[in-house]
Each structure stands twice: as C-alpha cells, then as structure tokens.
Amino acid sequence: SISKKVFFFFFYRNDFIARTLHEAYQTRALRNNETQDFIRHWLMEFKIGDKIEISRIEGEGYSVKVIDKDGRFKNLADIGTGSAQIVLLLLKVSIILSTRQTEAVLLVIEEPEQNMHPNYQSLLADLFFAMQQKGIKLLVETHSEYLIRRSQVIVAKLCSEMHYTQEELDKKNPF
C-alpha cells in the first residue's frame, strides 16, 4: 500500500516505497530515454503529470515529485492514493526496463484498482498489456470488473488483428 509521506528514509528496509525509490535512484532508472518515454506516456494517460523526479536529501532518504508539462510539481504525498500507486508501479517498471531484467522478474501486483476511478481501472489493463509487450511478466490479483472487461476487449482486438485461431490464442493470450 502507498503511504502519504513527503520523505522516505532509505534505511527503512521494511518500507517498500523507500526501497523502490532507493533502487530507482541508484540504477538511474529515470534517466534512460526509453524508460522516460514509457513513463511519460503513462503518466499522461492517467492524467497524473509529465515526469517523475526523485531527489536524494542529505544522505538520509528521498522525496518524489510529479511534475506537469508546465513545470509545476506535487509531492507524492499530495496526489491521490490511486495516482501515487501508479507512480510507484511506474517506478518499479522503470527499474526493470533500465536494468534489462525483464526475463528475471515476475511482478506480482495485488489489487491495483484500489482507490481508482473505474476509467483508470480499465486503463490499468492497457498499462499491463504495454508492460507485457515490453517483456515484463505479471501476476495480477484483482476484483475489478472494469480491469477484467478491458483485458477481454484487448484480447478480442488482438485476435481480430492477428487472425488467431483458438489454439493460437491459447498460446499467445497476453492475459
């Protein structure tokens, strides 16, 4: 779950957010052009902002800002919980992509739809499909009918475009 803090101490080993920020900062994940484009696209799709900036403060921890296209920023603590969850997920994806660990990682996501508007729950399916297209393996546990229905639409569209038989679909279904 996401916590509403402005400052994350990196020596708190049980704080998933602090560990993720530390890893993103250390790997310079947000400086990779491919990763930046992916994150920027999804931040804009979810209407969260334009980019993410992680600042290291006094060797103690990190702060996270979401910056819009006009340069205005909000701390992670000042955006909605659902938006903060998306930012954290995008940070994790940036680490995986920038370190080229797509084959070695299975990303397990539990109830990503929490605190999200139904439109954004549907949009999660598109994000998960894009992540899968980048080679990231996912295991998602959800109760969201919106996410499930959107994944069905994506699969139907893929079947139509690729002219899959049922046997091919059983092997190539991204969900």
Side-chain angles (χ1 to χ4, degrees):
S1 72
I2 202 78
S3 58
K4 296 300 229 166
K5 296 189 285 188
V6 175
F7 188 75
F8 298 90
F9 292 96
F10 58 73
F11 55 82
Y12 285 3
R13 299 291 178 224
N14 292 332
D15 186 339
F16 178 74
I17 300 169
R19 285 193 333 254
T20 301
L21 295 175
H22 183 65
E23 191 176 4
Y25 187 86
Q26 294 297 338
T27 61
R28 303 183 190 282
L30 297 176
R31 294 186 183 166
N32 176 304
N33 288 337
E34 177 187 357
T35 302
Q36 284 178 353
D37 292 342
F38 186 85
I39 288 175
R40 179 171 285 128
H41 171 79
W42 289 104
L43 285 172
M44 292 190 312
E45 284 291 316
F46 280 97
K47 297 176 178 58
I48 297 171
D50 193 54
K51 66 181 180 176
I52 302 167
E53 182 179 283
I54 301 172
S55 301
R56 186 173 178 159
I57 302 172
E58 302 293 327
E60 295 289 325
Y62 301 99
S63 70
V64 181
K65 292 182 173 60
V66 177
I67 303 168
D68 69 15
K69 63 182 176 193
D70 297 323
R72 294 179 301 233
F73 70 88
K74 289 185 180 179
N75 288 308
L76 188 63
D78 297 332
I79 64 176
T81 305
S83 295
Q85 288 171 196
I86 293 296
V87 168
L88 186 62
L89 176 60
L90 290 173
L91 283 172
K92 198 63 179 170
V93 169
S94 72
I95 295 164
I96 294 167
L97 292 176
S98 68
T99 58
R100 308 275 187 237
Q101 294 180 341
T102 55
E103 293 301 315
V105 172
L106 172 65
L107 193 55
V108 179
I109 305 170
E110 182 180 8
E111 296 186 18
E113 73 276 2
Q114 287 183 347
N115 305 305
M116 282 192 198
H117 187 277
N119 288 344
Y120 291 166
Q121 290 180 33
S122 295
L123 194 54
L124 280 172
D126 294 286
L127 173 58
F128 294 154
F129 180 66
M131 290 166 62
Q132 186 269 339
Q133 296 297 98
K134 293 275 188 187
I136 298 172
K137 294 181 281 301
L138 299 164
L139 177 62
V140 179
E141 182 272 324
T142 184
H143 297 279
S144 172
E145 185 174 336
Y146 301 103
L147 198 158
I148 299 297
R149 293 285 183 223
R150 179 63 187 153
S151 68
Q152 291 171 328
V153 169
I154 292 169
V155 170
K157 184 178 176 186
L158 189 63
C159 273
S160 174
E161 290 172 357
M162 303 302 282
H163 305 289
Y164 286 153
T165 65
Q166 185 61 47
E167 186 176 297
E168 290 171 321
L169 176 61
D170 290 343
K171 292 178 184 174
K172 297 179 182 180
N173 188 334
F175 290 95

